[in-house]
Amino acid sequence: MRRLFSIKKVPFCAAAVGLAAIVFSGFVTFRPNRIAVGKAVFLNQTLGSLWVAIVILWAVLILLSALRIPGRIHLFSTGLLSSTLILLLIATAARHASLTTQDAGSITRTSLGPAFWILLFALIVILTDTWQRSGKEKNLITIMGIVTGGILLGMLVSGDLDMLSIMREYANRKERFSGELLTHLALAGSSVGLALGLGIPLGLLAHRKKPLYTPTFFTLNTLQTIPSLALFGILIPVLAAATLRFPVLTDMGIKGIGAAPAIIVLTVYSLLPVARNTYIGFTTVDPAAIEAGTGMGMTRSQLLFRVEIPIASPVILNGIRVALVQAIGLTAVAALIGAGGLGVFIFQGLGQAANDLILLGAIPTIFIAVVVDSLMGGIIRVVQPKGLG
Amino acid sequence: MISLNQVTKEFPGKIAVNELTFEVERGEFCVIIGPSGCGKSTTLRMINRLIPVSAGSITLDGVDIYNYRPEELRRQIGYAIQSVGLFPHMTVARNIGIVPQLMNWDMSKIRRRTDELLDLLNLDPGVYRDQYPRQLSGGEAQRVGVARALAADPAILLMDEPFGAIDPITRESLQTEFARIQKELKKTIVFVTHDIDEAIRIATRILVLKDGKLVQHDTPENIMTAPAGRFVTEFIGTDRALKRLSRLPAVNYMKEAPNVRESDPLQSAAGLIAEHRYLWVLAHDGKVLGWLDENSLKSGEQTAGLAMTSLDFRMSAVVTDSTLKEALSRMVQQGIRSAPVVDMKGVLLGEIRMGDILEA
């Protein structure tokens, strides 16, 4: 027995949870119309016969996670299987949706159900785990992920998924969606940009002049603890009053609601991770290196650009990474004060009790955050000086 | 020539250096020594303006150091410190080449200079050039630190306990090596330490500081034979006679050593033994094998080689570049009153006697 089985905890648990989800919860939800109460449709009840493939492959996945198989083959097969399963899940749901619409009319809606999400989540956990354990094979698994993403994009563009409720919400707001997406990126990007301009000098200053450390970080920490909704709220009357007092602000397009307060709040929240990591990054520089450098005749700016910044840069970049991911998420809330962004769909969806509309705002937000996070991770790995870490 | 004139450094509530006046001649190895807090590091750091002077003046070859821009001044002065301060994100070669790079040397010249310095400090360039500081041991890092200080070939070197943070054995070999390097390079060196043995071993002049004031400035020999007052006497310690021996090369006290070959008949040695009380026995190539005395004569053996008491020259002999202190240490260890002096191969050159050491 010992020779045959070797349970890999993470994939095994994830696969087991997925199995339970298949048995106990609906794979998709059927609604007679957009906002009616839904009815669960289990995986084996889905139309089209793709679900059979899911069940079979899921069984293989559980086996794979429990059998003793040589490392490389295991990594490769698990990666391939999970990627295939992700595509199959989406294809099954989409196929069921289009068949249902044909049978029961175009007013009906098919949304993704709990089992779908749990399975998808389980597969992502397995893929991440595989990627982390893959060592030298990392590139192979990464390529697999990129290919999967490409196929998914193909399905999206080709219209295969169009009958899913979330895609029908999208179809109704095509123009609006790309606009809000750009607004979202612009809001998050410009606030983090501003936070860099302010936070990096602030962190450096706190490092250079120790008495400034406590007031600076006390303020930034306190600001960070204020709930974002409250901060957005506070700014509306403050900015409104300011524009009354200084009409020039109005000419600049600043109002109590809209982009101005959103950017201010997002910048404030981004300041802490940027400034704190800048501070920490600079403190990791050995004072002896600074003394030796100064003693050898390096100027302040030579020390800053040739010694301090290169040594501090990985930590600072990590701060920017945190700020970016956080800002992308928080920008969704900014829709509440009329700043636009993907949050618009979330709040509309909440108002109309239309879950799929909420998802239309939420899923792209999560997706952008994940992509930006891994991009930054890649950049940090490239930039990291070789002698460190 | 470095010249300090009435230099004072006052920190809030404390005078660290008090009207200090001294000169360091070109090519001199000046060691500033004193207990912690005596102002020795402060003095050193005023010379390259890491710390501004409160009063008085410092000149290099007659030019006031405040006539230079600080960077300009520092680039003509090498600087090495106890904590080394290598840049962790740069390779050993780039660390060493930093000052030449600031001075816009061309790349091939920097590379040649780097390899030359690695060789000088006994680090194989092929091995160490592309390593990062975190891959180095403490001793290797110190060597790189010294190489970096020497990179732009400054006439003056300031060193603040550069061998302070390494184990005693490595430290001693670095001191010896650095003394050799200094003989070759003839830099003007100001070296701060609190280790009197180190000062005596490497200095051409020692400057003793106490509470920011100069107590004595003289050669190591004079400081040991005529310490100025109780403070210096106590600082040198009760073993100052021994310390002084570490300045004296053993070969200067070497005498001719009576000897026979191992194949010589024992009887032929009798006359020499009667005269000298003992004889060294050598192999045909001159290597020391052992010794004979009156007792050996009674052994009844035919040749000197069979009758001798053998010795291992690695244990009992004194090699040519030893100091008298080392010679004495060998004799005490082996319980002998006279030790053979040999070259690296063990060939007898002469002998050194306890009595001569005691009179030295």
Side-chain angles (χ1 to χ4, degrees):
Chain A
M1 285 297 277
R2 252 196 80 230
R3 296 196 162 276
L4 197 56
F5 291 102
S6 149
I7 289 182
K8 284 140 197 98
K9 289 185 197 98
V10 174
F12 185 78
C13 289
V17 168
L19 184 66
I22 294 175
V23 177
F24 294 111
S25 60
F27 185 71
V28 290
T29 306
F30 172 79
R31 288 191 179 85
N33 63 57
R34 182 169 171 248
I35 53 172
V37 176
K39 182 175 148 293
V41 179
F42 282 72
L43 181 60
N44 61 335
Q45 297 167 332
T46 53
L47 304 175
S49 33
L50 276 174
W51 64 270
V52 181
I54 295 183
V55 172
I56 293 171
L57 290 183
W58 202 269
V60 177
L61 190 69
I62 294 180
L63 262 180
L64 258 182
S65 67
L67 283 179
R68 180 177 288 273
I69 298 168
R72 275 190 64 174
I73 299 175
H74 181 262
L75 287 174
F76 186 72
S77 48
T78 309
L80 195 64
L81 193 60
S82 318
S83 313
T84 314
L85 269 165
I86 289 178
L87 295 174
L88 261 179
L89 288 183
I90 294 164
T92 307
R95 189 159 167 73
H96 176 81
S98 60
L99 291 175
T100 310
T101 326
Q102 280 174 22
D103 291 355
S106 62
I107 196 175
T108 62
R109 289 297 181 101
T110 302
S111 319
L112 303 167
F116 174 89
W117 292 116
I118 295 171
L119 290 176
L120 183 66
F121 180 69
L123 289 170
I124 290 172
V125 167
I126 293 173
L127 265 180
T128 315
D129 177 68
T130 311
W131 188 78
Q132 267 170 358
R133 285 188 298 114
S134 56
K136 264 189 263 164
E137 257 50 76
K138 226 163 214 149
N139 289 335
L140 198 68
I141 307 284
T142 309
I143 289 170
M144 241 183 243
I146 292 171
V147 170
T148 311
I151 297 177
L152 200 59
L153 197 70
M155 288 162 80
L156 208 61
V157 173
S158 70
D160 285 349
L161 311 182
D162 282 358
M163 285 305 127
L164 279 172
S165 184
I166 179 172
M167 290 307 289
R168 294 184 54 191
E169 297 289 353
Y170 168 71
N172 290 338
R173 295 170 178 77
K174 240 183 191 138
E175 300 302 311
R176 184 92 198 264
F177 183 84
S178 44
E180 298 299 357
L181 179 68
L182 286 178
T183 308
H184 198 102
L185 292 176
L187 284 175
S190 57
S191 345
V192 174
L194 274 174
L196 293 188
L198 288 169
I200 291 180
L202 216 55
L204 182 57
L205 208 65
H207 168 67
R208 289 266 168 93
K209 309 257 179 267
K210 296 293 170 197
L212 289 178
Y213 173 82
T214 312
T216 305
F217 284 95
F218 177 77
T219 313
L220 291 183
N221 281 320
T222 311
L223 286 171
Q224 198 79 8
T225 60
I226 303 174
S228 53
L229 272 177
L231 203 53
F232 280 123
I234 293 167
L235 271 180
I236 297 176
V238 171
L239 277 183
T243 49
L244 282 178
R245 186 86 176 70
F246 307 103
V248 65
L249 291 176
T250 320
D251 300 336
M252 289 164 67
I254 292 174
K255 289 179 294 184
I257 56 168
I263 289 178
I264 292 174
V265 171
L266 292 171
T267 305
V268 164
Y269 279 116
S270 306
L271 267 179
L272 181 66
V274 172
R276 187 189 47 207
N277 279 47
T278 305
Y279 174 82
I280 295 172
F282 278 104
T283 50
T284 60
V285 181
D286 182 1
I290 303 291
E291 193 197 332
T294 314
M296 288 187 300
M298 295 178 85
T299 60
R300 268 311 259 282
S301 67
Q302 281 167 341
L303 273 172
L304 183 66
F305 289 106
R306 295 188 193 204
V307 180
E308 296 187 273
I309 288 180
I311 295 174
S313 59
V315 184
I316 299 177
L317 283 170
N318 252 312
I320 299 174
R321 180 187 189 171
V322 172
L324 273 170
V325 171
Q326 182 184 271
I328 289 164
L330 271 178
T331 303
V333 184
L336 207 64
I337 53 160
L342 292 167
V344 166
F345 304 118
I346 298 177
F347 289 112
Q348 281 183 2
L350 282 171
Q352 302 168 8
N355 284 339
D356 291 304
L357 188 51
I358 298 177
L359 289 179
L360 183 63
I363 291 177
T365 307
I366 297 169
F367 180 75
I368 297 167
V370 170
V371 168
V372 166
D373 184 57
S374 39
L375 262 178
M376 284 300 290
I379 291 174
I380 289 167
R381 231 168 299 133
V382 173
V383 171
Q384 170 108 342
K386 261 172 76 192
L388 304 177
Chain B
M1 189 181 74
I2 308 166
S3 165
L4 279 77
N5 191 9
Q6 299 285 308
V7 172
T8 296
K9 178 65 200 177
E10 205 176 339
F11 290 115
K14 187 184 181 243
I15 294 178
V17 175
N18 197 351
E19 298 190 343
L20 192 58
T21 300
F22 70 89
E23 281 181 357
V24 183
E25 298 293 338
R26 190 177 288 265
E28 210 178 284
F29 198 136
C30 171
V31 174
I32 305 181
I33 190 164
S36 52
C38 71
K40 52 190 191 295
S41 287
T42 307
T43 306
L44 189 80
R45 290 152 59 91
M46 282 193 286
I47 298 175
N48 65 359
R49 288 181 58 185
L50 283 177
I51 296 179
V53 299
S54 306
S57 70
I58 303 176
T59 58
L60 298 185
D61 293 328
V63 182
D64 192 296
I65 56 167
Y66 283 84
N67 286 353
Y68 298 102
R69 280 186 298 113
E71 292 78 29
E72 195 188 352
L73 172 78
R74 290 171 192 150
R75 281 174 204 172
Q76 358 170 358
I77 302 177
Y79 185 55
I81 53 178
Q82 177 175 357
S83 39
V84 196
L86 294 180
F87 301 143
H89 60 301
M90 295 183 186
T91 59
V92 164
R94 283 196 56 211
N95 262 290
I96 296 176
I98 191 93
V99 179
Q101 203 194 337
L102 295 178
M103 295 167 87
N104 293 319
W105 291 19
D106 63 68
M107 289 310 282
S108 60
K109 192 178 167 196
I110 296 179
R111 196 166 322 123
R112 245 180 297 126
R113 178 69 180 151
T114 307
D115 286 357
E116 188 183 306
L117 284 165
L118 284 170
D119 272 328
L120 183 71
L121 283 139
N122 266 331
L123 296 169
D124 179 1
V127 176
Y128 289 96
R129 201 189 288 125
D130 297 322
Q131 288 202 358
Y132 283 94
R134 70 187 160 102
Q135 298 168 281
L136 305 175
S137 72
E140 288 162 349
Q142 292 288 6
R143 283 161 200 260
V144 176
V146 173
R148 185 171 67 169
L150 289 167
D153 205 13
I156 298 170
L157 269 184
L158 303 181
M159 310 181 90
D160 194 345
E161 305 207 28
F163 311 134
I166 37 189
D167 63 276
I169 296 170
T170 316
R171 188 190 314 154
E172 222 167 290
S173 75
L174 263 176
Q175 287 164 353
T176 316
E177 236 174 272
F178 192 67
R180 164 185 66 79
I181 291 170
Q182 164 62 0
K183 255 182 216 152
E184 213 172 294
L185 302 180
K186 302 237 180 342
K187 302 283 180 198
T188 306
I189 300 175
V190 184
F191 187 110
V192 162
T193 185
H194 62 261
D195 177 355
I196 185 74
D197 292 304
E198 179 169 70
I200 290 168
R201 201 169 299 132
I202 57 181
T204 56
R205 263 167 179 269
I206 294 178
L207 197 144
V208 186
L209 280 189
K210 186 197 175 197
D211 300 331
K213 286 192 135 193
L214 185 113
V215 181
Q216 191 171 13
H217 185 198
D218 213 329
T219 60
E221 286 80 4
N222 289 347
I223 285 204
M224 279 181 293
T225 48
R230 265 188 69 173
F231 176 74
V232 182
T233 313
E234 275 168 19
F235 201 80
I236 295 171
T238 44
D239 62 339
R240 70 188 157 106
L242 269 180
K243 287 197 172 96
R244 206 175 68 82
L245 292 181
S246 72
R247 299 275 313 170
L248 306 173
V251 283
N252 293 2
Y253 295 83
M254 188 171 77
K255 297 274 165 64
E256 215 172 291
N259 61 77
V260 292
R261 300 280 152 165
E262 60 171 329
S263 52
D264 289 348
L266 187 57
Q267 288 316 311
S268 68
L272 280 169
I273 290 174
E275 188 183 333
H276 295 282
R277 301 222 324 270
Y278 60 88
L279 283 179
W280 303 110
V281 181
L282 311 181
H284 60 91
D285 57 359
K287 278 187 191 147
V288 179
L289 296 174
W291 48 275
L292 293 172
D293 59 11
E294 282 181 357
N295 291 331
S296 324
L297 288 175
K298 295 172 194 154
S299 67
E301 298 285 355
Q302 289 296 309
T303 63
L306 291 168
M308 72 178 181
T309 311
S310 29
L311 65 79
D312 181 353
F313 80 86
R314 276 175 233 90
M315 297 294 295
S316 314
V318 174
V319 285
T320 43
D321 57 355
S322 303
T323 62
L324 274 192
K325 186 180 174 184
E326 282 157 336
L328 183 64
S329 158
R330 292 235 144 167
M331 287 185 206
V332 172
Q333 213 165 36
Q334 301 290 321
I336 48 182
R337 298 189 59 83
S338 158
V341 179
V342 298
D343 65 10
M344 295 309 283
K345 291 195 191 94
V347 174
L348 185 79
L349 302 171
E351 67 174 21
I352 196 151
R353 295 174 197 147
M354 183 83 82
D356 294 336
I357 295 179
L358 297 180
E359 278 164 30

